[in-house]
Amino acid sequence: MPHAPGSTLQPGSSTTQQRRQHFQPPETPPASDLQCQNYIAKLRRNSRLPTLRMEEKKERNQTLVDVQGQNGVSAETPIPLLTSYKLGKFQLSHRVVLAPLARQRSWNHVPQPHAILYYSQRTTKGGLLITEATGVSDTALGCPNVPGIWTKEQVEAWKPIVDAVHAKGGIFFCQIWHEGRVANTDFWPNGQAPISCTDKPLTPQIQSNGINLTQFPTPRRLTTDEIPQVVNDFRLAARNAMEAGFDGVEIHGAYGFLLDQFMKDEVNDRTDKYGGSLENRCRFPLEVVEAVVNEIGADKVGIRLSPYSTWAEARDSNPKALGIYMAESLNKYWLLYCHMFEPKRETVGEKCECPHSLFPMRKAFNGTFIVAGEYGREDGNRAVAEDRADLIAYGRWFLANPDLPTRFRLNAPLNNYNEEIFYTPDPVLGYTDYPFLEDTE
């Protein structure tokens, strides 16, 4: 993705690099409310996020007015991205969504107090946020420090994070997820092989840094009798998300993970009722949808799909037909939204124009349609103005610009993101230390 004009400020100074090198997660994370408050206060002191006094707020507001005037932006004429939208029972104040982003800072798969600051920084009143991918069971995970929501401890750890988002008026959905064969036996109980629709292993994959190579073990093909248990894992995860206080869940059916593996015909080589025809390949994901809807209600359920994506070797011979079939099938369950990804990278680090259109899926689906795929301000505005999407999900740009809706409103410069520290376990570096607009002035 090309860098945004203007500010190039990003984490990674000599001080933060030293902190990264010497950082070690604490053995016992803070548990009580007071401990959490003290912990977050310490993170604030260590990050660039200031605690503004009243006079500083006045100066900040004047700065925003100056930027607004320089860019010829009027608050009375909002851009399409910043118009309000009714998402089921939720009233959104704008259409800029925080996309689910793997951050790998949940030690021992338990969400940590530093996530309170991270998510609250990116919360606006009436804004929709979707969590990072969150495991539905102890066999759902394939990488370190990703959160789960299958234990009581995890549910309790999510609660203060959800409360912080709600305190600022945000709407918060939990993305529930199973990695399938995109996993490593090091993270599975007792060194078991990861599960999938197939026993075909992935070839070694270049990581997001474009350098390191990840090796994958041979997966174990799920038996027909085992599939209902995985469906039940998603159902229980949705119930736990409601207990944690989330407003809803997003089922992760994209990016070559388990549900996507079943849908794509270049992965799924089954000959039972879960393989072969398009209907059969989509059976398992739709069983998950039905179970989750029956558990918590369709008005609290969304799903993410990526029919055109080929990540993790999850390709389909007719992705357009797959996307339309799933969109039409989801209508039977009255899902709140369908969130589709539009790939714009042929290889790691290379952006290209997507030759495919999600518009047929948008027309086929009756609910709210969210799109993602390295959108910027202008193409996001066009997508909404041309009715190609209701909402636009932003990942990397929202990661690096916690005040992204404000920057879009003012057409202000964006911070560049630093991919090298996307997944470091440091609770500040590349996580909560990206500056707000007023901090760069």
Side-chain angles (χ1 to χ4, degrees):
M1 177 182 290
H3 290 312
S7 171
T8 59
L9 183 60
Q10 56 181 277
S13 67
S14 58
T15 301
T16 54
Q17 291 291 357
Q18 291 173 6
R19 183 166 68 237
R20 178 186 182 189
Q21 293 169 3
H22 296 96
F23 170 74
Q24 293 293 332
E27 294 182 4
T28 306
S32 70
D33 289 344
L34 180 58
Q35 286 177 313
C36 286
Q37 291 170 11
N38 292 337
Y39 186 76
I40 296 303
K42 181 179 179 181
L43 292 183
R44 284 181 180 272
R45 289 194 299 271
N46 289 339
S47 74
R48 298 192 185 99
L49 180 66
T51 303
L52 296 175
R53 298 186 298 274
M54 287 304 295
E55 59 270 22
E56 292 173 321
K57 288 185 178 180
K58 292 178 182 178
E59 182 179 351
R60 177 199 63 184
N61 291 339
Q62 183 58 50
T63 298
L64 298 184
V65 169
D66 292 343
V67 172
Q68 181 174 321
Q70 292 168 9
N71 289 306
V73 179
S74 171
E76 285 73 32
T77 56
I79 61 176
L81 279 171
L82 299 183
T83 55
S84 61
Y85 181 79
K86 186 74 170 170
L87 176 65
K89 64 183 179 181
F90 306 108
Q91 182 60 57
L92 305 186
S93 60
H94 58 78
R95 300 172 187 242
V96 180
V97 178
L98 175 66
L101 292 161
R103 304 314 322 272
Q104 294 187 219
R105 289 164 168 84
S106 297
W107 308 320
N108 300 317
H109 305 306
V110 177
Q112 298 297 308
H114 45 253
I116 297 172
L117 181 57
Y118 172 77
Y119 283 108
S120 64
Q121 281 180 333
R122 288 153 183 81
T123 301
T124 53
K125 184 176 181 180
L128 174 62
L129 299 85
I130 306 169
T131 71
E132 58 212 278
T134 302
V136 300
S137 69
D138 59 352
T139 61
L141 309 176
C143 51
N145 300 321
V146 293
I149 197 162
W150 71 87
T151 71
K152 183 67 174 176
E153 180 185 13
Q154 292 164 340
V155 171
E156 292 301 314
W158 273 116
K159 287 181 178 180
I161 305 169
V162 176
D163 288 345
V165 170
H166 286 162
K168 295 183 69 174
I171 295 95
F172 206 13
F173 273 53
C174 180
Q175 188 187 68
I176 53 177
W177 161 73
H178 196 300
E179 287 205 45
R181 70 173 183 168
V182 189
N184 190 302
T185 52
D186 292 344
F187 304 102
W188 274 59
N190 304 315
Q192 301 173 51
I195 58 175
S196 182
C197 60
T198 182
D199 55 10
K200 296 182 296 186
L202 274 169
T203 57
Q205 303 284 306
I206 296 291
Q207 294 181 6
S208 59
N209 61 14
I211 301 172
N212 296 339
L213 197 67
T214 299
Q215 305 283 345
F216 297 95
T218 300
R220 182 176 66 81
R221 186 191 304 268
L222 277 170
T223 68
T224 304
D225 293 340
E226 289 176 311
I227 289 177
Q229 178 57 53
V230 182
V231 172
N232 194 53
D233 288 339
F234 276 90
R235 181 186 67 82
L236 293 175
R239 177 197 290 181
N240 288 342
M242 293 299 98
E243 182 181 343
F246 284 102
D247 298 296
V249 301
E250 177 179 282
I251 299 166
H252 198 335
Y255 295 170
F257 295 122
L258 184 62
L259 272 60
D260 201 31
Q261 291 160 30
F262 271 80
M263 286 185 273
K264 301 290 181 63
D265 61 10
E266 292 193 21
V267 181
N268 189 334
D269 56 1
R270 303 176 72 93
T271 57
D272 60 6
K273 67 178 183 178
Y274 292 101
S277 68
L278 179 58
E279 179 182 3
N280 282 354
R281 286 183 280 114
C282 295
R283 187 186 305 276
F284 169 50
L286 291 173
E287 287 178 351
V288 170
V289 169
E290 182 175 22
V292 172
V293 164
N294 288 341
E295 180 66 33
I296 67 173
D299 61 334
K300 305 178 189 70
V301 181
I303 188 170
R304 195 177 213 202
L305 302 171
S306 58
Y308 289 109
S309 175
T310 61
W311 287 352
E313 300 175 0
R315 300 177 180 87
D316 194 82
S317 60
N318 193 342
K320 180 178 179 181
L322 171 60
I324 292 175
Y325 178 82
M326 281 298 293
E328 292 175 342
S329 298
L330 293 171
N331 289 333
K332 303 172 187 176
Y333 303 100
W334 299 93
L335 247 61
L336 179 64
Y337 70 78
C338 180
H339 179 184
M340 282 204 183
F341 176 76
E342 190 173 33
K344 294 182 181 177
R345 288 183 186 228
E346 295 293 341
T347 60
V348 172
E350 176 187 346
K351 186 180 178 183
C352 64
E353 289 301 317
C354 179
H356 313 294
S357 171
L358 297 179
F359 194 60
M361 297 76 168
R362 198 279 199 272
K363 291 193 296 184
F365 184 67
N366 293 336
T368 292
F369 197 71
I370 306 175
V371 297
E374 303 195 33
Y375 279 83
R377 180 181 186 270
E378 298 312 315
D379 50 358
N381 277 326
R382 285 195 300 272
V384 173
E386 295 169 5
D387 199 33
R388 290 185 282 113
D390 298 303
L391 307 172
I392 312 294
Y394 289 87
R396 293 172 174 86
W397 289 129
F398 220 146
L399 177 157
N401 297 271
D403 53 354
L404 188 63
T406 296
R407 291 177 186 259
F408 279 173
R409 177 171 61 85
L410 302 174
N411 198 17
L414 301 181
N415 303 319
N416 289 327
Y417 48 80
N418 186 348
E419 295 193 34
E420 293 183 359
I421 52 176
F422 275 178
Y423 309 116
T424 176
D426 192 299
V428 175
L429 179 65
Y431 191 58
T432 57
D433 60 344
Y434 281 103
F436 285 71
L437 181 60
E438 62 266 20
D439 302 337
T440 66
E441 299 299 323

